[in-house]
Amino acid sequence: MARPLPQDVKHVVSIGGGPIGAGWAAHFLARGYDVTGYLHAMPEEAVYRKILDTAWLSLEQLGLAEGASRERLRLTDNLEDAVRTADFVQESAPERLDLKQALYAKLGTLVPEGVVISSSTSGFMMTDIQMLCPTPERTVIGHPFNPPYLLPLVEIIGGKKTSPDAVEWARDFYAHAGKAPLVMKKEIPGFVATRLQEAIWREALHMVANGEATPEDIDIALMNGPAPRLAIQGQCMAFHVACGEGGMATNLDQFGPALKLPWTRLQAPELTKELRDRMVDGCDAIAAGRHFEEMAAERDRAIVGILKAVKAARAGGV
């Protein structure tokens, strides 16, 4: 196979013109790669470049790799031309299974032999995506967290027809490209981080539906409660350390029995029009008329600060 070593990748192809596809392109450009962005249609270019503008401000603050330049980006709406010399392909097409299956039927032939094709999907399993692909052994999930140019996590898993070496290669490549890869133990819907996020989302929707809290209340509680701690310690270690010398054993032995009800009492709430409107109105109130681009830039500035602080803390600098 013609697959390059992870550290020898030079040309990355990012498929998709939305925030994830453009965000991935920004990340790879900042790491010093040549990047080809594939768009469904060239009129998408204006929005694509706005996303890149926003991303680049933060990436410059974090520090660009040697040779990193936005001039190393090429955009095209010709799929065959885009992937002809690819060393790696990151697919971020819209979340429609039929669309992805049709796309992988093409990519399986067009992408150079052996080159890994990775999907950013947040909901589908690779076993389903690769169903029509003529070379499924080199297809994997590489699920990022949004924005992909800032948040390090990439969740990796193959499908039933994926070769284990493709998963291993993807892990090594993402690590070399500055990501924090997590190779999953098995294929599951929603992966790991999204499932944890969905649990918070489920509880939030219930509280809004029952009039127990507003969207603003929920965000205040998260931002000023568990969120800062989770940046340093994950949920498991946070509870382990919180219980002193007894650690997680104390946590589960003392509090576990009392938590059985809240662990099991709630299923997904029905998304009624009333709940939908409460969520929309609540988020509009928090936004207070600010445009998406303004809020995204504000978010990114804060994430950059957090990433720098966490890096310093882990290095013993604060």
Side-chain angles (χ1 to χ4, degrees), residues 160-173:
K160 289 183 179 178
K161 296 182 180 179
T162 301
S163 297
D165 66 282
V167 174
E168 294 170 5
W169 187 97
R171 176 200 62 203
D172 294 344
F173 168 71

Side-chain angles (χ1 to χ4, degrees), residues 12 16 49 61 92 98 102 110 114 118 123 145-146 170 202-203 208 269 302 310:
V12 173
R49 292 196 180 276
Q61 294 179 50
S92 306
D98 60 337
L110 295 177
S118 183
F145 244 51
N146 196 15
R202 181 190 66 235
E203 296 291 335
V208 171
V310 169

Side-chain angles (χ1 to χ4, degrees), residues 17 19 56 103 112 120 123 132 147 177 209 283:
W56 208 252
L103 177 60
S120 300
L132 303 180
C283 290

Side-chain angles (χ1 to χ4, degrees), residues 198-213 218 266-271 275-276 278-279:
E198 286 173 351
I200 296 175
W201 184 228
R202 181 190 66 235
E203 296 291 335
L205 289 174
H206 271 294
M207 286 187 279
V208 171
N210 295 332
E212 298 163 346
I218 290 163
L266 295 179
Q267 296 180 345
E270 182 181 355
L271 184 58
L275 174 55
R276 181 260 183 202
R278 285 186 184 181
M279 291 299 304

Side-chain angles (χ1 to χ4, degrees), residues 140-143 154-158 166-167 170-172 174 181-185:
V140 302
I141 299 294
H143 171 239
V154 182
E155 297 175 302
I156 305 168
I157 188 68
V167 174
R171 176 200 62 203
D172 294 344
Y174 282 124
L182 171 63
V183 177
M184 296 175 53
K185 303 296 185 289

